[in-house]
Amino acid sequence: MHRQGRRLVAMVMAGLSLALLGCGTTRVSPSTYAGSPESPDIVLMVEAGAADEIAEAKVTGQDDEQVVVEVRLTRGEPAENAAGHTLEATVRLDGPLGGRQVVDQEGRAIPQA
């Protein structure tokens, strides 16, 4: 019984740690992107609050037709009267962008800046 209690406490602590790591970020859709067809790098622009920061930006899928990107923000406590701003994150593709469309995780097209 004592071993089972320790195992249960360890599982609860691991689950709580994972939950706390995930609750500090929010997935957002970039407002626009910049990049040339010849480059494997694109810059994602995200409208954010004054205290927000990009926690992660990555390519989650790509094929001959499209590139799927995901951006996660860490939401900060905004100061009173603080204006929002645009954050930028560069992600690298497997090859040049070419004529592929850039989309978010839900499949919404992200316009080029």
Side-chain angles (χ1 to χ4, degrees), residues 32-50:
T32 58
Y33 78 92
S36 74
E38 299 80 31
S39 176
D41 295 322
I42 58 174
V43 179
L44 305 171
M45 274 69 96
V46 178
E47 299 302 318

Side-chain angles (χ1 to χ4, degrees), residues 27-99:
R27 189 167 63 185
V28 297
S29 182
S31 54
T32 58
Y33 78 92
S36 74
E38 299 80 31
S39 176
D41 295 322
I42 58 174
V43 179
L44 305 171
M45 274 69 96
V46 178
E47 299 302 318
D52 296 348
E53 296 179 0
I54 292 179
E56 179 180 36
K58 63 184 178 179
V59 175
T60 60
Q62 54 189 306
D63 58 28
D64 293 340
E65 311 262 323
Q66 68 181 14
V67 173
V68 182
V69 296
E70 179 179 335
V71 177
R72 297 189 80 71
L73 288 183
T74 301
R75 299 285 188 181
E77 286 296 321
E80 194 171 316
N81 298 325
H85 62 285
T86 302
L87 299 172
E88 296 182 358
T90 301
V91 295
R92 180 161 286 249
L93 312 177
D94 287 344
L97 178 60

